[in-house]
Amino acid sequence: MTTTTHPLNETLAETTLLRFATAGSVDDGKSTLVGRLLHDSKSVLTDQLEAVEHASRNRGQDTPDLALLTDGLRAEREQGITIDVAYRYFATPRRRFILADTPGHVQYTRNMVTGASTAELAVVLVDARNGVVEQTRRHAAVAALLRVPHVVLAVNKMDLVDWSEKEFLRISEDFARCAAELDHPLGGFTAIPVSALTGDNVVDRSARMDWYTGPTLLDHLETVRTDDGQADRPARLPVSCVIRHGDDRYYAGQLTSGELRTGDAVVVLPSGVTSTVTAVDRLGSRVDAAYALDSVSVRLAGDLDIGRGDLIAPVAEAPALTRSVDADVCHLHDRTLSVGDRVLLKHTTRTVKAIVQDLPGRPDGLTTNELGRIRLRTAEPLAADPYAASRRTGSFLLIDPADGATLTAGMVR
Amino acid sequence: MNDTLTTGTHATPPETTGPETTGPRRSHLDSLESEAVHIFREVAGEFERPVILFSGGKDSIVMLHLALKAFAPAPIPFTLLHVDTGHNFPEVLDYRDRTVAAHGLRLHIASVQDYIDAGTLRERPDGTRNPLQTVPLTEAIQHHRFDAVFGGGRRDEEKARAKERVFSLRDEFSQWDPRRQRPELWQLYNGRHAPGEHVRVFPISNWTELDVWQYIQREHIQLPEIYFAHHREVFDRGGMWLTAGDWGGPKDTEPTQTRLVRYRTVGDMSCTGAVDSDATTLDAVITEIAASRLTERGATRADDKMSEAAMEDRKREGYF
């Protein structure tokens, strides 16, 4: 067998997956932190590092600029800025990670919203010298609005405050106060003192902060729970497509929450037709029960008219139907969203026509990166849950019917 | 409220750590598989004429396997498209044809050689045909009016790919504009497109090379033999072992030798290098990849080494 230091070689067993996002302002050292995490977990391979060293030398830099690992586009490298969300992949023997690396420059809010929409954890970075600033409050607010289940406050640049426990505690308490004042509750957070530059408490435990007894950043990422409570919620199966085989019809989709079993009494929305589950298949195999986030196909008793966009839910715990949607939104597009706009609303697998009825407090409309409230009226009834209960059945996009552009991200209240 | 907040001087709070207590434990391969299947079904539900790019390489083989699972027990509701550079490994073409026949699929072939013979494309001085694939690919998409084109691209492959969406809108010239991509949130994929435009769809965006191999092992998926160590006549060009063959190598100044090698990627013979390896089984291949300090493309793809933005530039022109 080959002997190596690569962490994956210690065990090649299947592990769990954690999706997380980073948020930081321009000079918080986010690129350095991400670079340090990738580098110290031995996730940067030789040819990538050589490419970065080569590019850094060409720019007249003495040391490899780890930010170049994450800046993938010509314009980003030329301008030295990060334009867009990039996804990074790394693994340890305990877990596989998908990191949504969101830029701290312009177009900031919509990028963090994008990264946070699928994240199970958000790392909010602060500079220990500056503590909690306006941008930190914004990061916390976005993480809370998007209901990211776990938040880490990474207090960075501890090397520049003499590794001071007092400073760290002060910042943690400030952040706790700021979290308590948010419109939406933050589920709790874990504060970790780090130095991305020197690597203290990122992957390796710091010898210079022996007063800190909590986990390193990587320890925490490896052990944080990944289920977000959706297993315990009522079942929801948005139908993606219908699979016909002989005379049989299978309603295929990804179960966004709960469990679905043979024999369950279900209702199909929006029609309201009721039926019973006669079979559950998980990717071609018959199973007794399917669980949240399984891609499944189900068969139902009776000759039913069901298609893409329908939602299958337990009779006893079905969502209410509505044509009036009250939501929190983040506007993503350069075009302003105004009252009276006719849009398409994409919710789970269903797309319906909608009209913007009200933008409270925004008489001039919503512009790029703005967060706000909206009231929409839809042409057909929608079976939506509150976003607080389900990120999958409580979220939607607004789309421009003229050119298909994605305009706005919405979260049902 | 403050009761739920913890700071780092406390022990890690019990409510956020420890093993999952509800639902079945889901492995990372289960998560990636479920996500990919969801993407296949979303396309089946929203598009008129989707096609899967199928080369007989491991990523497209995994895609085909996922598509079979997504629509079981019915057959895959898509056709396949192979862009044949004319310099493909015979073992791979053989695998391609056997697979297509075994599943009763329909395969379209867009041939670079046909374009060269017709005088529409000209052979490059370096003999590399990878960049020449773009024209046959985009013309096949227009000719067949495909509106969704599945590709096996993974974001871990290359830094420009890391910036691409799962649903990547292309204009009528198949061009990718990284600055005008649609934000992609939750699992809500926006497939709206105007006539003439199409969407490139990447169901295994979030997979790494190792995930692909672990999945192949878990699912007992058969691969072309060139992925496993075998003796082969090769020659050194630019630090890579290229296979001698009708495509034009080696030159007189490039002596050949027989080595024990295998391939990490499968592509055009003129620019896909073999790696020295004695890995003849899946277990051995996975051990080797886990230990490798080189990325797949860094080890085996000559065309990506041409410039810092080689992939980005080709993608802008319509490459997948």
Side-chain angles (χ1 to χ4, degrees), chain A residues 6 12 14-15 46-47 74 76 89 96 117 189 191 212 225-226 240 292-296 346 404 406, chain B residues 6 8 16 18 20 26-28 34-35 41-42 163 186 189-190 206 211 214 218 290 293 295 298 312-313:
Chain A
H6 196 288
L12 289 166
E14 291 190 10
T15 55
T46 310
D47 55 322
R74 200 183 268 285
E76 292 177 324
Y89 303 85
R96 266 270 282 113
S117 72
F189 70 94
Y212 174 75
R225 273 178 58 169
T226 56
S240 279
L293 299 188
D294 281 345
S295 278
V296 298
K346 184 171 180 131
T406 299
Chain B
T6 59
T16 59
E20 282 79 344
R26 192 184 313 274
S27 76
H28 73 280
S34 184
E35 176 182 70
R41 289 167 166 179
E42 283 294 286
K163 295 279 179 177
W186 298 288
Y189 304 107
N190 180 356
N206 285 326
D211 296 329
Q214 285 188 275
R218 187 182 93 171
R293 300 304 298 150
T295 63
E312 180 182 345
D313 293 345

Side-chain angles (χ1 to χ4, degrees), chain A residues 272-308:
Chain A
V273 171
T274 57
S275 181
T276 307
V277 177
T278 57
V280 181
D281 282 33
R282 207 181 75 82
L283 304 183
S285 309
R286 187 63 41 93
V287 290
D288 296 329
Y291 302 94
L293 299 188
D294 281 345
S295 278
V296 298
S297 55
V298 300
R299 295 171 62 192
L300 300 182
D303 193 15
L304 307 172
D305 177 19
I306 300 177
R308 174 172 176 79

Side-chain angles (χ1 to χ4, degrees), chain B residues 104-124:
Chain B
L105 295 161
R106 176 151 175 243
L107 173 73
H108 307 279
I109 296 175
S111 160
V112 172
Q113 189 65 53
D114 287 352
Y115 279 76
I116 292 173
D117 292 346
T120 354
L121 281 179
R122 216 176 328 153
E123 197 90 72
R124 294 160 51 101

Side-chain angles (χ1 to χ4, degrees), chain A residues 1-2 4 6 8-9 12-17 19 42 44-48 55 59 70-77 79 82-89 95-96 98 113-114 117-118 146 150 165 168-169 172 176 180 186 188-191 212-215 220 223-227 231-232 240-241 243-245 250 252-254 283-284 291-297 308 332 344 346-349 351 387 391-392 395-397 399 401 403-406 409-411, chain B residues 1-2 4-35 37-38 40-46 69-75 155-156 158-160 162-165 169 176 178-179 181-194 197 205-208 210-211 214-215 217-218 264 283 286-299 307-310 312-313 316:
Chain A
M1 293 287 281
T2 319
T4 170
H6 196 288
L8 273 176
N9 208 33
L12 289 166
E14 291 190 10
T15 55
T16 50
L17 185 66
R19 294 169 199 254
K42 300 183 176 62
V44 181
L45 299 184
T46 310
D47 55 322
Q48 293 172 314
R59 287 170 175 73
T70 52
D71 288 345
L73 301 173
R74 200 183 268 285
E76 292 177 324
R77 289 188 298 271
Q79 297 171 38
T82 314
I83 291 172
D84 208 339
V85 182
Y87 294 88
R88 306 285 144 206
Y89 303 85
R95 193 163 263 180
R96 266 270 282 113
I98 300 177
V113 167
T114 301
S117 72
T118 50
L146 271 286
H150 308 286
E165 179 180 17
F168 171 70
L169 285 176
S172 300
L186 201 61
F189 70 94
T190 302
Y212 174 75
T213 56
H220 184 67
T223 52
V224 71
R225 273 178 58 169
T226 56
D227 68 297
D232 301 325
S240 279
C241 62
I243 297 168
R244 290 187 181 78
H245 185 61
Y250 297 77
Q254 193 173 28
L283 304 183
Y291 302 94
L293 299 188
D294 281 345
S295 278
V296 298
S297 55
R308 174 172 176 79
L332 310 166
L344 294 171
K346 184 171 180 131
H347 168 252
T348 66
T349 59
T351 304
Y387 186 80
R391 297 168 92 191
R392 285 290 284 272
S395 58
F396 62 85
L397 299 179
I399 293 170
D403 65 358
T406 299
M411 290 145 279
Chain B
M1 183 67 203
N2 274 317
T4 62
L5 302 171
T6 59
T7 63
T9 46
H10 302 147
T12 321
E15 68 272 21
T16 59
T17 58
E20 282 79 344
T21 52
T22 50
R25 184 179 184 276
R26 192 184 313 274
S27 76
H28 73 280
L29 291 179
D30 292 332
S31 303
L32 294 171
E33 179 187 60
S34 184
E35 176 182 70
V37 163
H38 172 65
F40 273 110
R41 289 167 166 179
E42 283 294 286
V43 170
E46 284 216 334
K69 283 190 140 187
F71 302 102
R155 289 181 182 140
D156 81 315
E158 208 279 335
K159 53 189 182 293
K163 295 279 179 177
E164 188 154 25
R165 306 290 186 256
L169 184 67
W176 180 61
R179 303 199 85 152
Q181 298 193 91
R182 293 170 177 165
E184 204 156 67
L185 297 98
W186 298 288
Q187 279 73 22
L188 291 168
Y189 304 107
N190 180 356
R192 306 287 293 191
H193 60 282
E197 295 178 340
S205 277
N206 285 326
W207 298 44
T208 65
L210 195 62
D211 296 329
Q214 285 188 275
Y215 188 71
Q217 183 181 48
R218 187 182 93 171
R264 277 175 80 175
D283 280 342
I286 289 172
T287 304
E288 191 177 285
I289 289 166
S292 173
R293 300 304 298 150
L294 289 178
T295 63
E296 169 180 353
R297 292 204 162 250
S307 86
E308 207 179 349
E312 180 182 345
D313 293 345
R316 281 173 177 274

